[in-house]
Amino acid sequence: MSVPHAPSRVVVVGGGILGASTCAHLARGGAEVTLVTAGALADGASGRSIAWMNSSGDRTAEYHYLRLVALDRYRTWRERHPEGHRFVRFDGAMKWAGEGESFRETFAFERANGYDSVWVDRADVPRFAPDVDVASVAEEGAIFNAGEGWVSLPDVIAALAAEAVEHGATIREGVGEARVDIVDGEAAGVVLADGTRLSADHVVLATGPSVPRDLAALGVTVPDSTPAAFVVFTDPVEVEVTTVLNTPRVAIRPTPDGRLVLDADWAEQSIVIAADGSLVIPEESVQGLLEEASKVLSGNPSLTVNRVGAGLKPIPGDGEPVVGPVPSIPGLYALFTHSGATLGLALGELAAEEILTGAPSPVLETFRFDRFGVDESSEEVATGAWKPVMQN
C-alpha cells in the first residue's frame, strides 16, 4: 500500500470483519488507530454468519468484480497465516433449484461472466460433493462452483486484531455504544458509553446492521433492507462435510471444529420480534433446519443443536455495498454491506488505502453514498475529490 501522506489518527467503530480488517490495514499502513466495539470482537453479525464466500448468481459487473477481488484476498491471506487453511477453505459449493424452478439460466449467466461453474448431472453429484445425498438433489442436476468456500470469521477477526496490535493499534472491547463526535460539522472522534472522548482525525463506522441507525442520528439516511435472521450451530458431526451447500430448504457450511452452521430464508421469516425488540426463534424452526440439513447430507446423520445465533443481518436497500466517505460529514467514513464474510478483507484494505492516501479506489466507485442522493450538493466529496485528514 502506497502511503504518500502522513498517517491519520483513526478510530474504527465496530468489532466485526469489516472493522477488524480496516483496523489491521490502517495500522499496517502506519496510522495511529484505535478500534472500539460495544461488546466483544465478532459478537455481532460476523459471529453468526453462514460465511459462504462466493460471487454466485446474477450480479452487476462492478459487484461481481469486487467479490472476485475479495475472494483473491482470502486466498492470499490464508497462504500467509499458519492456521489459514483451517479458517479459510475453498472446497467448493453446490446449489440446486427447488420444485418448479430451474438453475439453467443461473448457470448460463455465471458461465457468460467467466465464473467457475460446472453443471453436474444428478448421478454425478458424488464425484463433486461426496457429502451430499443424491436423492435430495433436483432432477435437473446442480451447479458446482469449485472456487467458492467458507470462512470462520471469529478466527480471522482474532488474527486481524492481533496483527493490528502488533502494528501499534489499540483494541478496546466492551465499551458500550459509541457515537460519532461531531465538532463544527466534522467528525472529531467518538464518545464512548461512559462519556470518554477519543479524539481522531478520521472515524470509520463499521457497526454492521447498526450503520443506518448510527448515520440517521447524524442526519444521514441510507436505504436499509436489514432483516432479522438466525443461524443454528450444531454439535460436532461424525460425517465429513466440506462442501458449502445452498439448497432449496437449507444452507450448510462446516466449521473448523467439525460442527455445521445452518440457515434458510423460510426459517428467518418465522422469527417473532417481541415488544421489547428481542428476537424469538420458534423451536420448530430450529428443529426444521436440523431435519432439512440431515436430508441433504450423505447418510442422513442425526443432528443436534449446540446454540442459536440470532440478530440483524445487514443488507443495504439496493443489496449492494455502501462504502466511502459520508458526503455531509468530513472525516467520517462508513461501510455497510451484506456478504461481509466475502468482502471483509478487500473492503478493509481498500477503505484503509482511501483514508490514508486520499485517492478514491475505482473499484469502489459505484458503491458510494451519492447513488442514493445523499447530500448531492457536496459535489467535491460525492465525486471522490475529497482529501485525507492529515495528522498534526
Side-chain angles (χ1 to χ4, degrees):
M1 180 188 300
S2 175
V3 186
H5 300 280
S8 300
R9 295 172 300 156
V10 185
V11 174
V12 177
V13 186
I17 183 61
L18 293 174
S21 177
T22 305
C23 177
H25 284 96
L26 283 167
R28 186 187 302 163
E32 180 185 334
V33 57
T34 299
L35 182 148
V36 299
T37 184
L41 291 172
D43 70 352
S46 291
R48 43 180 165 76
S49 170
I50 196 70
W52 167 37
M53 296 188 296
N54 73 94
S55 188
S56 177
D58 186 350
R59 305 182 186 281
T60 63
E62 295 84 358
Y63 195 16
H64 179 59
Y65 180 76
L66 175 61
R67 294 173 76 97
L68 293 182
V69 169
L71 292 173
D72 174 73
R73 292 301 191 273
Y74 271 111
R75 291 188 175 93
T76 302
W77 187 91
R78 74 171 186 162
E79 296 304 321
R80 293 178 175 174
H81 291 78
E83 302 246 355
H85 283 261
R86 289 188 59 232
F87 305 150
V88 180
R89 301 292 306 182
F90 287 100
D91 297 310
M94 180 170 283
K95 57 180 178 278
W96 58 86
E99 186 176 353
E101 301 176 333
S102 173
F103 269 2
R104 287 289 185 180
E105 288 189 6
T106 297
F107 174 67
F109 180 88
E110 292 183 352
R111 290 303 308 160
N113 282 279
Y115 200 54
D116 189 359
S117 299
V118 177
W119 188 265
V120 181
D121 291 334
R122 195 179 192 186
D124 291 333
V125 165
R127 287 202 301 117
F128 294 85
D131 42 10
V132 171
D133 184 339
V134 175
S136 68
V137 178
E139 288 188 13
E140 71 168 1
I143 297 173
F144 183 72
N145 302 111
E148 296 180 355
W150 56 271
V151 54
S152 176
L153 289 177
D155 290 307
V156 172
I157 288 169
L160 289 168
E163 178 184 349
V165 170
E166 288 178 4
H167 284 88
T170 299
I171 307 290
R172 297 186 61 173
E173 301 179 73
V175 302
E177 297 292 336
R179 64 176 176 82
V180 181
D181 189 19
I182 304 296
V183 177
D184 296 330
E186 299 186 4
V190 301
V191 180
L192 306 184
D194 65 2
T196 300
R197 292 178 177 271
L198 301 178
S199 297
D201 304 311
H202 226 97
V203 175
V204 178
L205 196 59
T207 50
S210 297
V211 167
R213 179 203 66 187
D214 295 339
L215 289 175
L218 303 173
V220 178
T221 301
V222 174
D224 182 19
S225 295
T226 295
F230 78 96
V231 297
V232 170
F233 294 84
T234 73
D235 290 316
V237 296
E238 294 183 3
V239 296
E240 182 179 15
V241 179
T242 59
T243 313
V244 176
L245 301 175
N246 286 277
T247 81
R249 294 286 294 173
V250 66
I252 304 171
R253 65 100 168 160
T255 69
D257 60 359
R259 305 175 192 273
L260 301 176
V261 185
L262 318 173
D263 79 353
D265 289 342
W266 64 264
E268 291 180 358
Q269 293 167 11
S270 73
I271 296 174
V272 177
I273 301 179
D276 63 358
S278 62
L279 305 183
V280 179
I281 312 301
E283 178 61 26
E284 56 267 29
S285 296
V286 174
Q287 292 302 315
L289 282 176
L290 296 172
E291 292 168 6
E292 295 292 347
S294 176
K295 291 176 185 177
V296 303
L297 294 176
S298 179
N300 307 126
S302 176
L303 304 176
T304 54
V305 62
N306 176 265
R307 64 184 177 90
V308 174
L312 298 180
K313 178 166 62 177
I315 301 180
D318 63 0
E320 299 210 341
V322 184
V323 183
V326 179
S328 58
I329 307 176
L332 180 60
Y333 194 104
L335 303 100
F336 176 47
T337 186
H338 183 41
S339 297
T342 297
L343 300 176
L345 288 184
L347 283 187
E349 174 189 330
L350 295 171
E353 188 167 24
E354 289 195 325
I355 291 167
L356 291 171
T357 69
S361 169
V363 178
L364 300 178
E365 181 179 357
T366 62
F367 307 115
R368 303 302 190 186
F369 281 82
D370 62 296
R371 75 180 190 265
F372 303 122
V374 176
D375 194 24
E376 291 177 329
S377 63
S378 183
E379 182 179 351
E380 180 182 1
V381 180
T383 57
W386 56 282
K387 301 299 182 183
V389 179
M390 306 297 291
Q391 181 174 346
N392 294 328

